[in-house]
């Protein structure tokens, strides 16, 4: 199935998160119906927090027991650190829903050795998806955000992680943030059944235009998310989409 790209523009941030929650639940119900489980990789940063809260508030009766959460990337901090993507998702969603603890696969980012934490997480992916050597995990849904310079997950411009083709998860140094990150690689992102970008706010309008309308050389990291056998969905609010038509 060739990959398809759809761009959905919702009027307000509230409409955006409502639409994203509905898409999450629609996908989840169809994945659970088809294969008995829903494997999701969560994104970090600030944008998805509202989606996670809405899922907890409006979908308490969703089949969380059949849902398995991973993280597309993580900051190299302990799970109780304010910068932790796990902490954000835990407070907004995971702590509020009835999901077995073993269904939540977080990065052990408290490990002082980021590369070791990435390897451990890669092994956890291989075990969960029962991968044969060289096989890639197929998430039902990978949620993604967009950084101001075009990064997604923790795949930043000029990062050696961009060209990683054999690893599933790597540690990467982000010089401008003076920190390490642990991130899925493009082979994992592009194996997803659906990759969904969730982008909100006027401050993202320029980069959204560059990514969706521009032709950067080399391509911006977010432009390299092209599922080889799945759907690419961009969910934007009007403020983030404001420069698309110009
Ligand atoms: C992270 C994210 C990152 C994020 C973008 C957008 O850990 O920070 O995974 O890729 O999605 O930086 O962040 P905002 O939603 O905060 O703008």
């Amino acid at each position: 199935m060739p990959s398809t790209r759809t761009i959905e523009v919702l009027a307000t941030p509230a409409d955006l998160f409502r639409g994203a929650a509905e898409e999450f639940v629609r996908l989840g119900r169809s994945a659970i119906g088809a294969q008995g489980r829903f494997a999701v990789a969560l994104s970090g940063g600030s944008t998805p927090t509202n989606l996670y809260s809405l899922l907890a508030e409006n979908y308490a009766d969703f089949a969380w027991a059949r849902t398995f959460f991973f993280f597309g990337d993580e900051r190299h901090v302990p799970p109780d650190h304010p910068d932790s993507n796990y902490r954000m998702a835990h407070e907004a969603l995971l702590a509020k829903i009835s999901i077995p603890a073993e269904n939540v696969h977080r990065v052990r980012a408290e490990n002082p050795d980021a590369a070791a934490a990435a390897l451990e997480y890669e092994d956890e992916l291989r075990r969960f998806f029962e991968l044969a050597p060289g096989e890639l995990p197929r998430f039902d849904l990978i949620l993604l955000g967009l950084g101001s310079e075009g990064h997604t997950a923790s795949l930043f411009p000029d990062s050696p992680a961009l060209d990683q083709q054999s690893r599933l998860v790597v540690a990467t140094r982000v010089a401008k943030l003076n920190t390490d990150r642990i991130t899925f690689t493009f082979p994992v992102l592009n194996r997803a059944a659906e990759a969904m970008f969730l982008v909100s706010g006027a401050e993202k309008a320029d980069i959204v235009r560059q990514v969706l309308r521009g032709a950067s050389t080399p391509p911006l990291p977010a432009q390299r998310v092209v599922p080889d056998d799945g759907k690419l969905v961009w969910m934007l609010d009007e403020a983030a989409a404001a420069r698309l038509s110009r």
Side-chain angles (χ1 to χ4, degrees):
M1 173 174 79
S3 79
T4 60
R5 183 179 85 170
T6 59
I7 302 172
E8 220 180 308
V9 180
L10 291 302
T12 66
D15 296 331
L16 172 67
F17 298 118
R18 207 175 11 256
E22 285 160 9
E23 173 68 0
F24 178 103
V25 168
R26 184 193 66 74
L27 265 178
R29 288 183 176 143
S30 90
I32 291 165
Q35 66 224 5
R37 75 176 190 192
F38 182 36
V40 183
L42 297 175
S43 59
S46 56
T47 304
T49 311
N50 294 317
L51 165 62
Y52 301 159
S53 306
L54 207 57
L55 287 169
E57 280 151 32
N58 295 0
Y59 297 96
D61 58 355
F62 180 74
W64 298 116
R66 299 284 190 93
T67 302
F68 298 84
F69 287 117
F70 287 77
F71 288 80
D73 72 322
E74 185 56 282
R75 289 87 181 273
H76 191 211
V77 294
D80 57 356
H81 189 282
D83 293 349
S84 165
N85 286 338
Y86 168 75
R87 176 176 165 176
M88 178 273 287
H90 179 76
E91 290 172 354
L93 172 65
L94 304 171
K96 301 174 183 170
I97 56 177
S98 60
I99 188 166
E102 61 272 19
N103 287 27
V104 178
H105 299 261
R106 70 176 182 83
V107 179
R108 307 274 162 207
E110 63 269 34
N111 184 333
D113 180 343
L119 261 178
E120 184 190 23
Y121 203 52
E122 179 163 322
D123 290 345
E124 195 159 336
L125 277 176
R126 292 187 186 287
R127 274 195 306 278
F128 178 81
F129 286 98
E130 299 171 340
L131 300 178
E135 201 184 350
L136 293 168
R138 185 164 172 81
F139 279 92
D140 300 301
L141 174 63
I142 296 184
L143 289 171
L144 293 167
L146 179 63
S148 55
E149 76 309 69
H151 81 260
T152 191
S154 283
L155 297 165
F156 286 77
D158 308 320
S159 159
L162 297 174
D163 302 315
Q164 181 53 249
Q165 287 304 316
S166 57
R167 293 286 308 276
L168 309 180
V169 185
V170 293
T172 181
R173 184 80 192 156
V174 185
K176 72 169 192 170
L177 302 174
N178 190 26
T179 185
D180 292 312
R181 294 276 187 97
I182 293 123
T183 184
F184 282 0
T185 58
F186 282 122
V188 176
L189 300 184
N190 288 329
R191 187 73 194 107
E194 180 161 321
M196 183 204 288
F197 280 91
L198 190 63
V199 189
S200 173
E203 72 281 2
K204 295 284 176 73
D206 276 343
I207 191 63
V208 165
R209 177 181 167 74
Q210 281 181 54
V211 170
L212 294 178
R213 296 283 183 264
S216 308
T217 308
L220 295 167
Q223 289 176 315
R224 296 178 61 174
V225 179
V226 185
D228 46 46
D229 175 14
K231 285 179 66 176
L232 175 61
V233 177
W234 282 80
M235 296 199 73
L236 312 169
D237 59 21
E238 268 176 18
R243 300 207 56 219
L244 276 184
S245 49
R246 292 189 204 156

Coordinates of all heavy atoms in Angstrom, one line a residue, residues 42-87:
L42 N 4.2 7.4 21.7 CA 3.8 8.7 22.0 C 4.9 9.7 21.7 O 6.1 9.4 21.7 CB 3.5 8.8 23.5 CG 2.4 7.9 24.0 CD1 2.2 8.0 25.5 CD2 1.1 8.4 23.4
S43 N 4.5 11.0 21.4 CA 5.5 12.0 21.2 C 5.6 12.8 22.5 O 4.8 12.8 23.4 CB 5.1 12.9 20.0 OG 3.8 13.5 20.3
G44 N 6.7 13.6 22.5 CA 6.9 14.4 23.7 C 6.7 15.9 23.4 O 6.0 16.3 22.5
G45 N 7.5 16.8 24.1 CA 7.3 18.2 23.9 C 6.0 18.7 24.6 O 5.4 17.9 25.4
S46 N 5.5 19.8 24.3 CA 4.4 20.4 25.0 C 3.1 20.2 24.2 O 2.0 20.0 24.8 CB 4.6 21.9 25.2 OG 4.8 22.5 23.9
T47 N 3.1 20.1 22.9 CA 1.9 20.1 22.1 C 1.0 18.9 22.4 O -0.2 19.1 22.6 CB 2.2 20.1 20.6 OG1 3.0 21.2 20.3 CG2 1.0 20.1 19.7
P48 N 1.5 17.7 22.6 CA 0.5 16.5 22.8 C -0.1 16.5 24.1 O -1.1 15.7 24.3 CB 1.4 15.3 22.5 CG 2.8 15.7 22.8 CD 2.9 17.2 22.5
T49 N 0.3 17.3 25.1 CA -0.2 17.2 26.4 C -1.7 17.3 26.4 O -2.4 16.6 27.1 CB 0.4 18.3 27.3 OG1 1.8 18.3 27.2 CG2 0.0 18.1 28.8
N50 N -2.3 18.3 25.6 CA -3.7 18.5 25.5 C -4.4 17.3 24.9 O -5.5 16.9 25.3 CB -4.0 19.7 24.8 CG -3.5 21.0 25.5 OD1 -3.7 21.1 26.7 ND2 -2.9 21.8 24.7
L51 N -3.8 16.6 24.0 CA -4.4 15.4 23.4 C -4.5 14.3 24.5 O -5.5 13.7 24.7 CB -3.5 14.9 22.2 CG -3.8 13.5 21.8 CD1 -5.3 13.3 21.3 CD2 -2.8 13.0 20.7
Y52 N -3.4 14.1 25.2 CA -3.3 13.1 26.3 C -4.4 13.3 27.3 O -5.1 12.4 27.7 CB -1.9 13.0 26.9 CG -0.8 12.7 25.9 CD1 0.5 13.0 26.2 CD2 -1.1 12.1 24.6 CE1 1.5 12.7 25.3 CE2 -0.1 11.9 23.7 CZ 1.2 12.2 24.0 OH 2.3 11.9 23.1
S53 N -4.5 14.6 27.7 CA -5.5 14.9 28.8 C -6.9 14.6 28.3 O -7.8 14.1 29.0 CB -5.4 16.4 29.1 OG -4.1 16.7 29.5
L54 N -7.2 15.0 27.0 CA -8.5 14.7 26.4 C -8.8 13.3 26.3 O -9.9 12.8 26.6 CB -8.5 15.4 25.0 CG -9.8 15.8 24.4 CD1 -10.5 16.8 25.3 CD2 -9.6 16.4 23.0
L55 N -7.8 12.5 26.0 CA -8.0 11.0 25.9 C -8.4 10.5 27.3 O -9.3 9.6 27.4 CB -6.8 10.3 25.4 CG -6.5 10.5 23.9 CD1 -5.1 10.0 23.6 CD2 -7.5 9.7 23.0
A56 N -7.7 11.0 28.3 CA -8.0 10.5 29.7 C -9.4 10.9 30.1 O -10.2 10.1 30.7 CB -7.0 11.1 30.6
E57 N -9.8 12.2 29.7 CA -11.1 12.7 30.2 C -12.3 12.1 29.4 O -13.3 11.7 30.0 CB -11.1 14.2 30.0 CG -10.4 15.0 31.0 CD -9.9 16.4 30.5 OE1 -10.5 16.9 29.5 OE2 -8.8 16.8 30.9
N58 N -12.1 12.0 28.1 CA -13.3 11.6 27.3 C -13.3 10.1 26.9 O -14.3 9.7 26.4 CB -13.3 12.4 26.0 CG -13.5 13.9 26.3 OD1 -13.6 14.3 27.4 ND2 -13.5 14.7 25.2
Y59 N -12.2 9.4 27.1 CA -12.2 8.0 26.7 C -11.8 7.0 27.8 O -11.0 6.1 27.5 CB -11.3 7.9 25.4 CG -11.8 8.7 24.2 CD1 -11.3 10.0 24.0 CD2 -12.9 8.2 23.4 CE1 -11.8 10.7 22.9 CE2 -13.3 8.9 22.4 CZ -12.8 10.2 22.1 OH -13.3 10.9 21.1
A60 N -12.3 7.2 28.9 CA -11.9 6.4 30.1 C -12.3 4.9 29.8 O -11.6 4.0 30.2 CB -12.7 6.8 31.3
D61 N -13.3 4.7 29.0 CA -13.8 3.3 28.7 C -13.1 2.7 27.4 O -13.5 1.7 27.0 CB -15.3 3.3 28.5 CG -15.7 4.2 27.4 OD1 -14.8 4.9 26.8 OD2 -16.9 4.3 27.0
F62 N -12.1 3.4 26.9 CA -11.4 2.9 25.7 C -10.7 1.6 26.2 O -10.4 1.4 27.4 CB -10.4 3.9 25.2 CG -9.6 3.4 24.0 CD1 -10.2 3.4 22.8 CD2 -8.3 3.0 24.2 CE1 -9.4 2.9 21.7 CE2 -7.5 2.6 23.1 CZ -8.1 2.5 21.8
A63 N -10.3 0.7 25.2 CA -9.7 -0.6 25.6 C -8.2 -0.4 25.9 O -7.3 -0.8 25.2 CB -9.8 -1.5 24.4
W64 N -8.0 0.3 27.0 CA -6.6 0.6 27.4 C -5.8 -0.7 27.7 O -4.6 -0.8 27.6 CB -6.6 1.6 28.6 CG -7.2 2.9 28.3 CD1 -8.3 3.5 28.9 CD2 -6.7 3.9 27.3 NE1 -8.6 4.7 28.3 CE2 -7.6 5.0 27.4 CE3 -5.6 3.9 26.5 CZ2 -7.5 6.1 26.5 CZ3 -5.5 5.0 25.6 CH2 -6.4 6.1 25.7
A65 N -6.5 -1.7 28.2 CA -5.9 -3.0 28.5 C -5.3 -3.6 27.3 O -4.4 -4.5 27.4 CB -6.9 -3.9 29.2
R66 N -5.8 -3.2 26.1 CA -5.2 -3.8 24.9 C -4.3 -2.8 24.2 O -4.0 -3.0 23.0 CB -6.4 -4.1 23.9 CG -7.4 -5.2 24.5 CD -6.8 -6.6 24.4 NE -7.8 -7.6 24.7 CZ -8.5 -8.2 23.7 NH1 -8.3 -7.9 22.5 NH2 -9.4 -9.0 24.1
T67 N -4.0 -1.7 24.9 CA -3.2 -0.7 24.3 C -1.8 -0.7 24.9 O -1.6 -0.9 26.1 CB -3.8 0.7 24.5 OG1 -5.1 0.7 24.0 CG2 -3.0 1.8 23.9
F68 N -0.8 -0.6 24.0 CA 0.6 -0.7 24.5 C 1.4 0.6 24.1 O 1.4 1.0 22.9 CB 1.3 -1.9 23.9 CG 0.6 -3.2 24.4 CD1 -0.6 -3.6 23.7 CD2 1.0 -3.8 25.5 CE1 -1.2 -4.8 24.2 CE2 0.4 -5.0 26.0 CZ -0.8 -5.4 25.3
F69 N 1.9 1.3 25.0 CA 2.6 2.6 24.8 C 4.1 2.5 24.8 O 4.7 1.9 25.7 CB 2.1 3.6 25.8 CG 0.7 4.1 25.7 CD1 -0.2 3.9 26.7 CD2 0.4 4.8 24.5 CE1 -1.5 4.4 26.5 CE2 -0.9 5.3 24.4 CZ -1.9 5.1 25.4
F70 N 4.7 3.1 23.8 CA 6.1 3.3 23.8 C 6.3 4.8 23.6 O 5.3 5.6 23.5 CB 6.7 2.6 22.6 CG 6.8 1.1 22.8 CD1 5.7 0.3 22.7 CD2 8.0 0.5 23.2 CE1 5.8 -1.1 22.9 CE2 8.1 -0.9 23.4 CZ 7.0 -1.7 23.2
F71 N 7.6 5.3 23.6 CA 7.9 6.7 23.4 C 8.8 6.8 22.2 O 9.9 6.2 22.1 CB 8.5 7.3 24.6 CG 7.5 7.4 25.8 CD1 7.2 6.3 26.5 CD2 6.9 8.6 26.0 CE1 6.2 6.4 27.6 CE2 6.0 8.7 27.0 CZ 5.6 7.6 27.8
G72 N 8.4 7.7 21.2 CA 9.3 7.9 20.0 C 10.6 8.5 20.3 O 11.6 8.4 19.6
D73 N 10.6 9.2 21.4 CA 11.9 9.8 21.9 C 11.8 10.2 23.3 O 10.7 10.3 23.9 CB 12.4 11.0 21.0 CG 11.5 12.2 21.3 OD1 10.3 12.1 21.4 OD2 12.1 13.3 21.3
E74 N 13.0 10.4 24.0 CA 13.0 10.8 25.4 C 14.2 11.6 25.7 O 15.2 11.5 25.0 CB 13.0 9.5 26.3 CG 12.9 9.7 27.8 CD 11.7 10.5 28.2 OE1 11.7 11.8 28.1 OE2 10.7 10.0 28.7
R75 N 14.0 12.5 26.6 CA 15.1 13.3 27.0 C 16.0 12.5 28.0 O 15.4 11.6 28.7 CB 14.6 14.6 27.8 CG 14.0 15.6 26.8 CD 12.5 15.3 26.6 NE 12.0 16.3 25.6 CZ 11.5 17.5 25.9 NH1 11.5 17.9 27.2 NH2 10.9 18.3 25.1
H76 N 17.3 12.8 28.1 CA 18.1 11.9 28.9 C 18.1 12.4 30.4 O 19.0 12.9 30.9 CB 19.6 12.0 28.4 CG 20.5 11.0 29.1 ND1 21.8 11.2 29.3 CD2 20.2 9.7 29.6 CE1 22.3 10.1 29.9 NE2 21.4 9.2 30.1
V77 N 16.9 12.2 31.0 CA 16.6 12.6 32.3 C 15.8 11.5 33.0 O 15.1 10.7 32.3 CB 15.8 13.9 32.4 CG1 16.7 15.1 31.8 CG2 14.5 13.8 31.6
P78 N 15.8 11.4 34.4 CA 15.0 10.4 35.1 C 13.5 10.7 34.9 O 13.1 11.8 34.5 CB 15.4 10.7 36.6 CG 16.6 11.5 36.5 CD 16.6 12.3 35.3
P79 N 12.7 9.7 35.1 CA 11.2 9.8 34.8 C 10.5 10.8 35.7 O 9.4 11.2 35.3 CB 10.7 8.3 35.1 CG 11.7 7.7 36.0 CD 13.0 8.3 35.6
D80 N 11.1 11.3 36.8 CA 10.4 12.3 37.6 C 10.9 13.7 37.3 O 10.5 14.6 37.9 CB 10.6 12.0 39.1 CG 12.0 11.9 39.4 OD1 12.9 12.0 38.5 OD2 12.3 11.7 40.6
H81 N 11.8 13.8 36.3 CA 12.4 15.1 35.9 C 11.3 15.9 35.1 O 10.6 15.4 34.3 CB 13.6 14.9 35.1 CG 14.4 16.1 34.8 ND1 14.1 17.1 33.9 CD2 15.6 16.6 35.4 CE1 15.0 18.1 33.9 NE2 15.9 17.8 34.8
P82 N 11.3 17.3 35.3 CA 10.3 18.1 34.6 C 10.4 18.0 33.1 O 9.4 18.3 32.4 CB 10.7 19.5 35.1 CG 11.4 19.4 36.3 CD 12.1 18.0 36.3
D83 N 11.6 17.7 32.6 CA 11.8 17.6 31.1 C 11.4 16.2 30.6 O 11.5 16.0 29.3 CB 13.3 17.9 30.7 CG 13.7 19.3 31.0 OD1 12.7 20.1 31.3 OD2 14.9 19.6 31.0
S84 N 11.0 15.3 31.4 CA 10.8 13.9 31.0 C 9.5 13.8 30.2 O 8.4 14.2 30.6 CB 10.7 13.0 32.2 OG 10.1 11.7 31.8
N85 N 9.6 13.2 29.0 CA 8.4 13.0 28.2 C 7.5 12.0 28.8 O 6.3 12.1 28.8 CB 8.8 12.5 26.8 CG 9.3 13.6 25.9 OD1 9.1 14.8 26.2 ND2 10.1 13.2 24.9
Y86 N 8.1 11.0 29.5 CA 7.3 10.0 30.2 C 6.5 10.7 31.3 O 5.3 10.4 31.4 CB 8.2 8.9 30.8 CG 7.5 8.1 31.8 CD1 6.6 7.1 31.4 CD2 7.6 8.3 33.2 CE1 5.9 6.3 32.3 CE2 6.9 7.6 34.1 CZ 6.0 6.6 33.7 OH 5.3 5.9 34.6
R87 N 7.2 11.6 32.1 CA 6.5 12.2 33.1 C 5.3 13.0 32.6 O 4.2 13.0 33.2 CB 7.4 13.2 33.9 CG 6.7 14.0 35.0 CD 7.6 14.8 35.8 NE 6.8 15.8 36.5 CZ 7.4 16.7 37.4 NH1 8.7 16.6 37.6 NH2 6.6 17.6 38.0

